[in-house]
């Protein structure tokens, strides 16, 4: 692992319990009016070099990968990997929105579900859900949002299987969608998980599932174009509840051909200084141009998570939570 990234991981480790350390005046604000750090394509850190290319990819990509796997597959890996921290490390770093792209492998007779971003993972969805639960059990006042998306190859039977797994694993930690999700309310009821599910039929049938969370995806190759897109979306007005502003750049074939020795990681690291400035200019809250979740790639780099968390100081600055004799450490988010 690279040196600068290691340093950032050490610094971000202090954010593992940032929600529990927020001042009491923020406990009654809905989570969709706070600033929450998220990771885009959360599970790409465990994409497997030997896994098949997703059935959703173009025929040309699949043919080239079959004919020249030694050349094409490494290129696919370079441009499909968006994270290097494990899901536990991301949560410990302060990430509270996880972007799960779920798929069932073509011609797989089992009911195993995996994650996908051009290629499939080898780790199963069920294993990761258990890993998330273990982390939550040791962080009882932290709340996370699981965005279940994509659903490549999932039948109705597989949807039922996935939802049953989610209910079995998280049980009473699941927050029903009829609850206004403030920290105080969720703590009182033992809720720690909000599951956003990108399949309307299933959401209607299960009160534990929340509707799909809108994701502002710019689909841009340059930082300047991405910021223009995000500002345009802000002027149109934020959704009423949860939504994501994605600060992730997106490659296209032209960009890859122009940058034959590039990668999504290099592309992302070059954009971080400008995006850092943009993030620090944002305001959380219910107003038209306010933000909520900000999700990015390679979240262990730079101060992305810390910068998003500190936006909450603008709601009630300066934020300071004093210890009241219960053993809770005080914390200040002042710069």
């Amino acid at each position: 692992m690279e040196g600068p990234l290691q340093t950032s991981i050490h610094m971000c480790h202090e954010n593992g319990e940032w929600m529990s350390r927020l001042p009491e005046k923020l406990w009654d604000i809905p989570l969709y009016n706070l600033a929450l750090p998220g990771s885009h394509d959360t599970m790409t850190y465990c994409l497997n070099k030997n896994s098949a290319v997703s059935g959703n990819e173009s025929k040309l990509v699949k043919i080239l990968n079959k004919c020249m796997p030694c050349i094409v597959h490494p290129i696919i890996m370079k441009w499909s990997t968006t994270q290097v921290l494990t899901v536990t490390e991301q949560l410990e770093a302060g990430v509270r929105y996880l972007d799960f792209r779920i798929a069932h492998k073509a011609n797989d007779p089992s009911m195993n579900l995996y994650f996908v971003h051009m290629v499939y993972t080898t780790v199963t969805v069920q294993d990761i859900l258990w890993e998330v639960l273990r982390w939550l059990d040791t962080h009882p006042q932290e709340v996370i949002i699981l965005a279940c998306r994509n659903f490549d190859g999932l039948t109705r039977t597989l949807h039922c299987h996935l939802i049953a797994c989610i209910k079995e694993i998280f049980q009473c930690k699941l927050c029903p969608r009829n609850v206004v999700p403030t920290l105080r309310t969720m703590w009182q009821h033992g809720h720690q998980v909000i599951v956003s599910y990108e399949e309307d039929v299933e959401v209607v049938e299960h009160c534990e599932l929340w509707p799909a969370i809108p994701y502002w995806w710019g689909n841009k190759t340059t930082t300047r174009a991405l910021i223009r897109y995000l500002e345009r979306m802000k002027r149109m007005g934020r959704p009423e509840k949860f939504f994501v502003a994605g600060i992730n750049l997106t490659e296209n074939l032209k960009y890859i051909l122009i940058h034959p020795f590039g990668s999504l990681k290099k592309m992302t690291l070059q954009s971080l200084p400008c995006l850092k400035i943009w993030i620090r200019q944002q305001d959380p809250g219910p107003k038209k141009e306010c933000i909520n979740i900000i999700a990015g790639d390679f979240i262990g780099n730079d101060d992305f998570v810390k910068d998003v968390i500190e936006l909450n100081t603008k709601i009630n600055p300066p934020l300071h939570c004093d210890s009241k004799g219960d053993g809770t450490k005080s914390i200040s988010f002042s710069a």
Side-chain angles (χ1 to χ4, degrees), residues 34-295:
L34 295 179
L36 308 176
S39 60
H40 167 250
D41 261 312
T42 299
M43 296 305 301
T44 57
Y45 67 87
C46 63
L47 293 178
N48 191 284
K49 295 179 180 179
N50 299 316
S51 293
V53 174
S54 166
N56 272 351
E57 296 306 312
S58 68
K59 289 183 178 179
L60 177 60
V61 170
K62 288 186 281 190
I63 291 172
L64 289 174
N65 184 60
K66 186 175 182 178
C67 296
M68 300 180 293
C70 294
I71 298 175
V72 176
H73 210 286
I75 295 175
I76 292 175
M77 292 298 296
K78 285 199 309 178
W79 293 101
S80 58
T81 301
T82 67
Q83 307 294 340
V84 294
L85 300 188
T86 68
V87 69
T88 296
E89 289 171 336
Q90 291 180 40
L91 292 171
E92 198 62 36
V95 168
R96 294 296 176 265
Y97 166 90
L98 301 179
D99 179 17
F100 283 171
R101 313 292 179 94
I102 297 172
H104 182 258
K105 294 180 181 179
N107 303 317
D108 183 353
S110 76
M111 297 188 73
N112 291 334
L113 299 176
Y114 301 88
F115 301 96
V116 66
H117 187 217
M118 295 186 74
V119 297
Y120 299 106
T121 63
T122 53
V123 64
T124 66
V125 171
Q126 196 167 4
D127 287 341
I128 293 301
L129 295 180
W130 283 113
E131 182 177 343
V132 170
L133 176 66
R134 288 192 292 270
W135 187 86
L136 288 171
D137 283 340
T138 59
H139 299 76
Q141 288 189 296
E142 299 301 302
V143 176
I144 65 172
I145 299 168
L146 303 182
C148 297
R149 310 173 63 196
N150 190 290
F151 300 133
D152 177 16
L154 265 70
T155 61
R156 185 70 191 277
T157 300
L158 288 169
H159 275 294
C160 292
H161 171 66
L162 174 58
I163 294 167
C165 288
I166 291 171
K167 290 183 178 182
E168 175 192 2
I169 291 169
F170 295 115
Q171 299 184 25
C172 62
K173 291 184 185 293
L174 291 172
C175 177
R177 64 175 175 274
N178 63 344
V179 172
V180 177
T182 66
L183 287 174
R184 190 189 303 273
T185 298
M186 297 192 74
W187 290 342
Q188 288 175 345
H189 294 89
H191 300 322
Q192 287 186 271
V193 183
I194 291 172
V195 176
S196 160
Y197 207 83
E198 206 171 60
E199 184 64 44
D200 293 342
V201 174
E202 306 299 340
V203 171
V204 170
E205 294 187 5
H206 300 274
C207 66
E208 298 89 350
L209 303 180
W210 291 60
I213 294 176
Y215 194 108
W216 290 356
W217 176 51
N219 193 20
K220 306 296 182 184
T221 59
T222 67
T223 311
R224 182 175 297 180
L226 175 61
I227 290 175
R228 282 200 301 265
Y229 163 80
L230 292 172
E231 287 298 313
R232 184 168 68 253
M233 295 300 291
K234 285 172 57 183
R235 289 192 295 272
M236 292 171 62
R238 58 154 293 169
E240 182 181 356
K241 296 188 177 179
F242 291 111
F243 76 102
V244 183
I247 62 164
N248 48 291
L249 294 176
T250 306
E251 80 290 349
N252 54 34
L253 182 58
K254 179 181 177 181
Y255 187 93
I256 294 173
L257 292 175
I258 295 174
H259 302 82
F261 301 106
S263 67
L264 191 56
K265 185 172 184 179
K266 290 180 181 179
M267 189 181 188
T268 299
L269 296 184
Q270 292 170 357
S271 72
L272 285 178
C274 289
L275 289 171
K276 183 184 184 75
I277 295 172
W278 182 84
I279 290 170
R280 290 183 169 184
Q281 294 172 341
Q282 304 314 302
D283 296 284
K287 295 182 180 179
K288 178 181 178 180
E289 293 195 356
C290 289
I291 56 84
N292 175 215
I293 302 164
I294 302 180

